[in-house]
Amino acid sequence: MSSVDDIGYGRQFGDFYDRIFPSGAYTEPTVRKLASLHPSPGERALELGVGTGRVAIPLAQRAFPVTGVDSSPEMLQQLTAKAKDADADVEAVHGDIRKYTDDNKYKLVYCVCATLSMVLEADDQQAVMQHAADRLAPGGVLVVETSNPGGLRALHEGQQRTSYFIPYPEPNTGLLTYSTVFEDRSLWHASHIWFEDGKSSVGSELARLTTPEEVDEYAAAAGLKPVDRWADWEETPYAEDSPMFVSTYTTR
Ligand SMILES: C[S@@+](CC[C@H](N)C(=O)[O-])C[C@H]1O[C@@H](n2cnc3c(N)ncnc32)[C@H](O)[C@@H]1O
């Protein structure tokens, strides 16, 4: 497993990822929308950066099997155990989404939860989109969800650094984030502290500030045409200061 270039996300976040981003009600809008976007329900889909299977497992239980690629052995280990427990058809593949290829064509390929922004160079993001486009069957749909730099700027209110706390419904539980934006390098650094029941865990991540227009350009260069862009999975209209964006593309 060691030949895949991995940023170490799973080593930092693996132990508490599913607490920050739970399956169930939090993930339900994503699962519902992705299921509805699949032009051929029942056929296998491809997830780029599948993580612990937060989205892939409920999709496989409900709508269609999923092949999920991730560079993190730790995240994939959890995915495999959870998929087995859930009797969900999710194939875990250890790989790098900047290079991923296989022998299949998919009617749905998706890359969500800001995974594309974790790829820090524009050329590499272009490569992710090209490899995704190469796996799409004619008439297939590519879905990208990632952080919106305009939303981050609104949150920062003109400051380079800010911090914010999100309380979770369970007692004594929440996420504290220290956020720094490096506009000159198009980068965002976030250190998260997860508090639960008197214990804390820390994880840091670096992301590329990636605009919806850039993702559109990557898609166009990969031979895809844009279909929709929303602020979220409920199809809230996109605005400059939306925290996230969801863009969909199809083959020309
Ligand atoms: C924020 S998690 C999202 C996981 C899942 N898509 C979800 O929605 O819960 C991002 C995942 O992308 C993976 N990742 C980041 N860069 C990658 C790369 N170049 N190739 C493969 N996986 C990558 C990380 O290991 C991590 O599991």
Side-chain angles (χ1 to χ4, degrees), residues 4-10 17-18 21 30 47-55 69-72 75 95-98 110-115 118-119 128 145 205:
V4 174
D5 207 1
D6 176 39
I7 54 174
Y9 187 88
Y17 183 86
D18 285 355
F21 298 108
T30 311
E47 177 166 0
L48 300 174
V50 67
T52 62
R54 174 183 74 96
V55 177
V69 184
D70 205 288
S71 56
S72 164
M75 299 295 266
D96 184 338
I97 60 173
R98 295 170 295 181
Y110 62 97
C111 183
V112 301
C113 202
T115 300
M118 289 180 190
V119 174
V128 172
E145 177 206 28
E205 59 182 323

Side-chain angles (χ1 to χ4, degrees), residues 122-157:
D123 287 355
D124 285 339
Q125 292 187 326
Q126 176 70 68
V128 172
M129 293 289 284
Q130 183 65 60
H131 283 86
D134 290 346
R135 301 271 52 76
L136 269 188
V141 179
L142 170 63
V143 184
V144 175
E145 177 206 28
T146 198
S147 325
N148 184 25
L152 192 62
R153 281 183 199 115
L155 185 72
H156 272 248
E157 297 176 314

Side-chain angles (χ1 to χ4, degrees), residues 159-187:
Q159 305 293 314
Q160 187 186 9
R161 295 167 204 278
T162 193
S163 58
Y164 48 92
F165 181 73
I166 303 171
Y168 277 53
E170 298 81 9
N172 221 4
T173 300
L175 186 69
L176 177 62
T177 297
Y178 287 85
S179 171
T180 310
V181 174
F182 301 95
E183 291 281 0
D184 51 332
R185 287 186 280 157
S186 291
L187 290 174

